[in-house]
Amino acid sequence: MYRWLLLILLVMLAGLQYRLWFGEANLRQVWQLEQQILEQQQVNQQLTERNKRLEAEVQDLKQGLTALEERARSEMGMIREGETFFQLIEPEPETSQR
């Protein structure tokens, strides 16, 4: 009697172990999903920091003219009234002709 009970318990244990390691949502998949969650959290953190920087830039553009002026100067080449624009051109390297 006890042998049958022990045999049934061992078969049940083997079945549960099989499901744990090889069935749906097994441990390997759980570990992979946990790794993906960690990677996604890192990406989310980077994007959150980028969004904070962009939000600060938007607020600066809405409230202050210095950022707007700096952007107009660097991206559009604009100058203020009364300023003189100097453009320095690097000389081309001389090539020796024989």
Side-chain angles (χ1 to χ4, degrees):
M1 174 74 179
Y2 289 110
R3 287 184 182 189
W4 285 105
L5 182 61
L6 183 61
L7 181 62
I8 291 172
L9 289 175
L10 286 175
V11 168
M12 288 176 62
L13 179 64
L16 291 174
Q17 286 295 314
Y18 178 80
R19 286 191 64 201
L20 178 66
W21 292 100
F22 303 109
E24 286 184 40
N26 58 41
L27 285 179
R28 188 172 357 133
Q29 288 177 341
V30 170
W31 293 333
Q32 289 174 350
L33 289 174
E34 287 175 350
Q35 181 63 34
Q36 288 177 357
I37 288 171
L38 290 175
E39 291 171 2
Q40 189 63 47
Q41 286 174 341
Q42 291 174 349
V43 169
N44 289 350
Q45 180 66 30
Q46 292 172 350
L47 292 175
T48 300
E49 291 172 6
R50 179 179 146 244
N51 287 346
K52 287 180 183 178
R53 286 193 307 268
L54 290 173
E55 180 64 30
E57 185 177 346
V58 166
Q59 290 301 321
D60 190 33
L61 288 173
K62 285 182 178 179
Q63 295 173 356
L65 295 177
T66 56
L68 183 63
E69 180 181 343
E70 186 258 324
R71 195 164 231 184
R73 288 172 177 269
S74 65
E75 293 179 7
M76 300 175 151
M78 299 182 101
I79 58 172
R80 204 182 282 166
E81 192 172 323
E83 289 182 334
T84 305
F85 178 72
F86 293 98
Q87 183 175 7
L88 302 175
I89 300 174
E90 301 267 340
E92 292 184 19
E94 294 182 20
T95 57
S96 59
Q97 295 179 357
R98 293 185 178 179

